[in-house]
Amino acid sequence: MTASPTAATVRPAPAPAPATVEEAEAAWLAAQTLLDPEPAIRALLHPDCVVVHSAVGHIHGADDWLRYAARLGRTSQVVTSDVTVQRLGTTAVVSCLQEMRVAFVPDLTPFVIQAAVSRVWVAAESGAWQLSHLQMARRLPPG
C-alpha cells in the first residue's frame, strides 16, 4: 500500500525579536491588525505582563488579556500620536495617544476607540524587548 503525501501546514516564520524599543512598538502596532493577532502579540509579551484597561478598570495577566481581546472583534487600524519614549536602562516607557478601529460586530462599521496609553518595555537577557505593562485609559469627548 502506498501512502499519498499530505500537505504540510505552512505557518509564516516568526518575526525576529525586536532589538530596539522602536522595533517593539512597530511590531506591537502591526500585530494588533493581523487576522490572527494572538501569536504575534504573545511573542511580544513578558510572561508576567499586566494589562490595565477599559472604562471599568480591568486588570489582566497576559493569558487573561489575550482571551479578553480575542472576544472583542477584529482591530482593523491602530494609529498613535504624541509618542514619547523614556529610556531607563533596560526599561523603556512609551506614552502616546492611540486610536483603534474595532469591529465589535463583523458586519458593522468598526467602532473608534481613543485612549491615552502607556507601554512599559523591558529588555530580556537575549536583548529582545518585551512588554511588561500596558495601561490604556479611554479618552472621552471634551465637555
Side-chain angles (χ1 to χ4, degrees):
M1 178 173 200
T2 306
S4 61
T6 58
T9 302
V10 178
R11 294 182 183 229
T20 67
V21 174
E22 292 76 14
E23 287 178 9
E25 277 289 302
W28 178 259
L29 296 174
Q32 304 304 306
T33 62
L34 295 173
L35 287 176
D36 181 13
E38 193 267 342
I41 291 172
R42 184 177 293 280
L44 293 166
L45 295 178
H46 187 280
D48 296 325
C49 183
V50 174
V51 179
V52 181
H53 64 102
S54 91
V56 297
H58 288 300
I59 301 174
H60 286 137
D63 290 332
D64 288 338
W65 182 73
L66 287 166
R67 280 190 292 276
Y68 173 88
R71 293 191 317 260
L72 291 181
R74 185 166 185 280
T75 300
S76 60
Q77 183 180 31
V78 181
V79 177
T80 59
S81 62
D82 298 331
V83 179
T84 61
V85 179
Q86 295 175 293
R87 286 172 173 63
L88 308 160
T90 59
T91 302
V93 179
V94 176
S95 301
C96 65
L97 298 178
Q98 179 173 293
E99 183 174 290
M100 302 181 302
R101 297 185 187 283
V102 180
F104 291 106
V105 178
D107 296 332
L108 298 180
T109 302
F111 187 78
V112 176
I113 299 172
Q114 293 180 335
V117 178
S118 295
R119 286 184 279 272
V120 179
W121 295 94
V122 294
E125 288 184 23
S126 67
W129 288 86
Q130 295 180 305
L131 186 67
S132 66
H133 187 86
L134 170 62
Q135 167 82 43
M136 293 184 285
R138 190 168 292 179
R139 295 181 73 204
L140 299 176

